[in-house]
Amino acid sequence: MPEKTFAGIPTLAGLALCATLALAQNAPVTLTVHPDQAATPVSSTLYGLMTEEINYSYDGGLYAEMVRNRTFRGDWSGIDSWFLVENGDAAAKMTADTGTGPSNALPHSVRVTVEKADAKNEAGLLNVGYWGMALRPNTAYKGSFYAKTDTADMGPVLVSLVQNNTGKVVARTTVSNLTSEWKQYNFTLTTVGDLQPSAANHLVLTVGHAGSLWLDLVSLFPPTYHDRVNGNRIDLMEKMAAMHPQFLRFPGGNYLEGDHINERFEWKKTIGPLVDRPTHPSPWNYHSTDGMGLLEFLGWCEDLKMQPLLAVYAGYSLKGEHVEPGAALEPYVQDALDEIEYVTGGTDTKWGAERAKDGHAAPFALTYVEIGNEDWFDRSGSYDGRYAQFYKAIKAKYPQLQLIATAPVKSTRPDVLDEHFYVRATTNFHDATHYDKTDRNGPKIFVGEWATREGTPTPNMGAALGDAAWMTGMERNSDIVVMASYAPLFVNVNPGGMQWESDLIGYDTLHSYGSPSYWAQVMFGEYLGDHTPKSEATGTGEKFFYSITKNTAKKQLYVKLVNASSVPQPVEIDLSGAQVAGTAKLVSLSAPDTQATNSISDPERVVPVTSMVQVSGKFSHTLPAYSIQVLQIDEK
Ligand code: AHR
């Protein structure tokens, strides 16, 4: 209370003290929950992942290939990421050879013309990797290349991993018996035991004899998640697993569409042996190896127990080219039908048999197919007709599939509509009620891309608060919002790695970290029930948000609370007489200010902390300033 004067009138000092005390915390919110009264179902597929080749997400990211430009693309400046090696008085030159390659898909190669070399003065090439090559001690790296030579006594190719700064060889092997025909050779490089983990390394391939050596598809992989051949980085897979994702939307995004029609994601060129994949330009200004092809996406789903959400190219590319509905669109529709057959068909179907040949006999379960991406950009107005044509053809063969439209259409009622939101935190605070009044008789909603865009390269705590507010709204409305996926998921934080600011998970060649927004996703994904119980709140200001879901089988309540204000927020929680265990798990993510963030050099500044707290049928709880919390309460 303010100090009073003798006449009972507050002094200025008293008023100031009163204001300070008032600001020390917000007025309490009262939250009444009725655990035994279900309000709305929560979609079991609510949280998933959206990915595409952006920010070096696959090449130089999740896809664990260590050799950059393994197929020796060259331009006026030379052959990207490869350099000539001439040890001692060896002499050689390196040229792009457009006249020979190991396959129709890879008709070009590199020719190393060695004029002079011997066992002590070798010549060859080195590859710098994707911002280096991450090496760890006592680790086996599996490699391969295609090669031929014009010299019968060329001798072995010496393959070495070398430290950039010391020149020290940390792993070495030889590959022998090269012939005049293209052939694939495999090797393993095992690093020495006394190695400090580092990305400052490169790969060297040399010979000790004059002659010509042609190379292509030079590849090197570290151990991968679940030991998959042509597989994924373990740390990034583990980070995704912690999010409990239920689906994977792939392959884009813009990456699906390409800048031009002939630069779209042509799935048929991304399956089978790597040597049969021609690679293609991506819209995010770098070339894709297509090592992450259709079957690799499906393997990724399998590894993380997610269902695939397959986006099919629908006749629109980013620079505005489109295919008119009708006969011209038919080949694209057929391509989508073939693609669905590749994913779901038995081995008695043409494309199911192709999948089996590629190494996966069992079909994959598929529920959702998305027709295109962000087709509201198509100013020609063709999407209505294009969607209808795909819809009719796919439903005729696969009536059970749910078909997602990427823009509103009139001539067909889509099963699901994909909506995208890239906003600031304040927008999410105001828009957390976005779906509260949405027509329940319309299409279901897929929030296929969304993010609070504050902070770079990865979002900060302020963004995480905006995200959490938005997610409370999606959970409350998950009877209609059946799926949601944050985008973009990944960013390589090395110089030149980022095309899009504010990405969920950052990494360099050796390490990775989750942003505060990532941790908010982990918390929301891990603690999610199957329905929302009825609840009411009073006294909520503009910066308090909540969502309550319940897992019926486990009799667990997940109370998610968000305080986006700068002072603590007391909450009186009334569980309407429910009998609850005396202690509850509390997971709390908070920071001193909205700018607080994680980075590659400070990866754990803002991370969730777990503790146990006392709870009862009616209890008080106070959220710290700038916090996101989950209370896991067990009902007796
Ligand atoms: O997530 C980045 C891009 O944003 C996606 O490729 C595109 O769909 C959207 O415009």
Side-chain angles (χ1 to χ4, degrees):
M1 289 297 292
E3 288 169 44
K4 300 265 177 81
T5 63
F6 65 92
I9 300 166
T11 62
L12 279 178
L15 281 172
L17 177 64
C18 189
T20 311
L21 285 174
L23 277 180
Q25 64 176 31
N26 291 322
V29 164
T30 303
L31 183 54
T32 307
V33 189
H34 307 280
D36 54 348
Q37 294 178 40
T40 49
V42 172
S43 166
S44 59
T45 54
L46 180 58
Y47 294 120
L49 305 174
M50 185 279 171
T51 80
E52 63 175 321
E53 184 60 282
I54 183 174
N55 302 323
Y56 291 86
S57 285
Y58 308 149
D59 293 345
L62 179 66
Y63 179 57
E65 174 65 83
M66 297 165 72
V67 178
R68 188 167 184 163
N69 190 18
R70 64 188 180 188
T71 53
F72 297 97
R73 282 175 305 95
D75 61 16
W76 62 270
S77 62
I79 300 174
D80 176 45
S81 303
W82 290 93
F83 294 90
L84 189 64
V85 174
E86 294 166 306
N87 289 339
D89 65 355
K93 64 183 180 190
M94 164 176 99
T95 46
D97 192 336
T98 54
T100 181
S103 65
N104 291 337
L106 299 177
H108 306 159
S109 56
V110 71
R111 177 177 185 168
V112 189
T113 312
V114 182
E115 279 141 26
K116 190 174 165 207
D118 59 46
K120 291 205 171 121
N121 301 284
E122 301 128 355
L125 300 175
L126 72 83
N127 185 270
V128 295
Y130 290 96
W131 294 275
M133 293 187 176
L135 296 184
R136 295 177 170 83
N138 277 326
T139 306
Y141 295 81
K142 291 190 181 146
S144 61
F145 56 69
Y146 283 78
K148 69 172 190 173
T149 177
D150 64 357
T151 312
D153 54 356
M154 174 60 99
V157 179
L158 198 57
V159 189
S160 321
L161 283 165
V162 180
Q163 289 182 330
N164 295 350
N165 301 329
T166 64
K168 185 179 162 195
V169 174
V170 294
R172 174 164 279 181
T173 190
T174 53
V175 173
S176 305
N177 303 325
L178 268 54
T179 71
S180 58
E181 300 297 323
W182 281 107
K183 203 180 138 209
Q184 189 181 25
Y185 300 85
N186 294 294
F187 58 88
T188 300
L189 288 162
T190 303
T191 47
V192 294
D194 61 343
L195 188 66
Q196 280 299 316
S198 163
N201 306 288
H202 58 275
L203 176 73
V204 182
L205 298 129
T206 52
V207 288
H209 196 282
S212 281
L213 170 72
W214 285 265
L215 289 165
D216 210 343
L217 198 56
V218 179
S219 175
L220 187 67
F221 275 80
T224 58
Y225 193 74
H226 287 183
D227 285 329
R228 274 196 191 264
V229 174
N230 200 41
N232 294 334
R233 242 174 92 158
I234 295 169
D235 58 338
L236 297 178
M237 288 295 277
E238 285 174 346
K239 286 203 166 54
M240 287 185 281
M243 294 168 70
H244 296 264
Q246 300 302 314
F247 67 88
L248 177 72
R249 174 184 177 222
F250 65 86
N254 291 359
Y255 184 59
L256 169 72
E257 305 164 81
D259 275 347
H260 303 282
I261 294 175
N262 66 0
E263 293 179 359
R264 68 191 183 280
F265 183 83
E266 274 193 82
W267 71 271
K268 284 177 184 161
K269 295 182 177 171
T270 73
I271 56 172
L274 296 179
V275 73
D276 295 328
R277 303 186 194 183
T279 79
H280 82 284
S282 94
W284 295 105
N285 300 328
Y286 58 95
H287 204 86
S288 172
T289 64
D290 287 328
M292 182 67 79
L294 179 55
L295 191 55
E296 284 76 19
F297 281 114
L298 295 166
W300 175 2
C301 291
E302 201 164 59
D303 280 350
L304 297 189
K305 300 187 174 51
M306 309 177 284
Q307 56 171 284
L309 190 160
L310 179 69
V312 297
Y313 180 76
Y316 175 76
S317 290
L318 292 162
K319 299 284 185 204
E321 294 161 19
H322 79 278
V323 184
E324 272 299 304
L329 194 63
E330 266 316 296
Y332 299 91
V333 174
Q334 188 56 50
D335 218 42
L337 291 171
D338 293 348
E339 189 171 7
I340 295 167
E341 188 173 284
Y342 185 91
V343 177
T344 65
T347 50
D348 53 343
T349 64
K350 177 177 173 202
W351 288 103
E354 196 67 26
R355 185 196 62 241
K357 202 172 96 195
D358 294 340
H360 201 288
F364 293 87
L366 183 69
T367 305
Y368 293 100
V369 173
E370 178 154 25
I371 315 296
N373 176 57
E374 293 193 338
D375 284 87
W376 66 77
F377 279 115
D378 176 9
R379 302 283 174 240
S380 73
S382 70
Y383 187 60
D384 208 304
R386 289 189 287 111
Y387 181 81
Q389 196 169 333
F390 276 86
Y391 186 96
K392 206 169 151 216
I394 296 174
K395 284 279 183 181
K397 194 164 176 202
Y398 302 102
Q400 76 283 10
L401 289 179
Q402 295 288 293
L403 303 183
I404 304 169
T406 74
V409 285
K410 291 205 177 81
S411 61
T412 317
R413 183 188 183 280
D415 299 316
V416 184
L417 183 62
D418 181 358
E419 300 192 326
H420 295 178
F421 302 89
Y422 290 109
V423 298
R424 309 281 301 176
T426 44
T427 309
N428 269 340
F429 299 151
H430 293 131
D431 216 22
T433 53
H434 188 91
Y435 288 111
D436 287 2
K437 301 240 152 45
T438 301
D439 177 9
R440 264 46 188 176
N441 298 313
K444 298 283 187 197
I445 301 294
F446 169 35
V447 185
E449 295 179 30
W450 69 271
T452 307
R453 301 197 62 198
E454 291 181 23
T456 181
T458 49
N460 56 29
M461 185 64 196
L465 290 162
D467 290 346
W470 174 249
M471 285 190 282
T472 62
M474 292 200 292
E475 290 191 0
R476 194 171 50 247
N477 290 288
S478 185
D479 58 323
I480 182 145
V481 180
V482 288
M483 292 172 295
S485 41
Y486 186 103
L489 180 64
F490 288 139
V491 61
N492 188 317
V493 301
N494 276 301
M498 181 178 71
Q499 288 84 50
W500 181 283
E501 295 187 359
S502 68
D503 308 286
L504 204 62
I505 297 171
Y507 48 85
D508 60 15
T509 313
L510 195 62
H511 301 111
S512 56
Y513 70 96
S515 62
S517 292
Y518 163 80
W519 288 113
Q521 295 266 334
V522 169
M523 290 163 66
F524 273 65
E526 184 170 358
Y527 302 98
L528 185 67
D530 48 69
H531 69 273
T532 64
K534 282 199 177 128
S535 65
E536 312 89 50
T538 55
T540 55
E542 287 183 351
K543 293 199 169 174
F544 174 82
F545 307 89
Y546 79 95
S547 151
I548 300 158
T549 63
K550 180 174 170 179
N551 181 316
T552 315
K554 289 187 181 167
K555 289 182 80 183
Q556 262 174 357
L557 279 176
Y558 308 115
V559 180
K560 291 169 178 158
L561 305 169
V562 183
N563 176 21
S565 78
S566 58
V567 290
Q569 175 64 63
V571 189
E572 300 299 324
I573 300 177
D574 182 348
L575 298 176
S576 309
Q579 296 297 303
V580 296
T583 52
K585 192 205 274 189
L586 172 69
V587 187
S588 181
L589 183 73
S590 67
D593 57 66
T594 56
Q595 302 305 300
T597 200
N598 297 331
S599 66
I600 200 76
S601 54
D602 194 358
E604 294 190 347
R605 180 166 287 245
V606 186
V607 292
V609 175
T610 301
S611 60
M612 298 305 286
V613 292
Q614 290 299 313
V615 294
S616 57
K618 207 167 182 181
F619 64 100
S620 304
H621 177 74
T622 299
L623 285 115
Y626 303 125
S627 65
I628 301 165
Q629 297 196 328
V630 184
L631 277 165
Q632 177 186 294
I633 301 173
D634 287 283
E635 276 189 80
K636 280 193 197 157

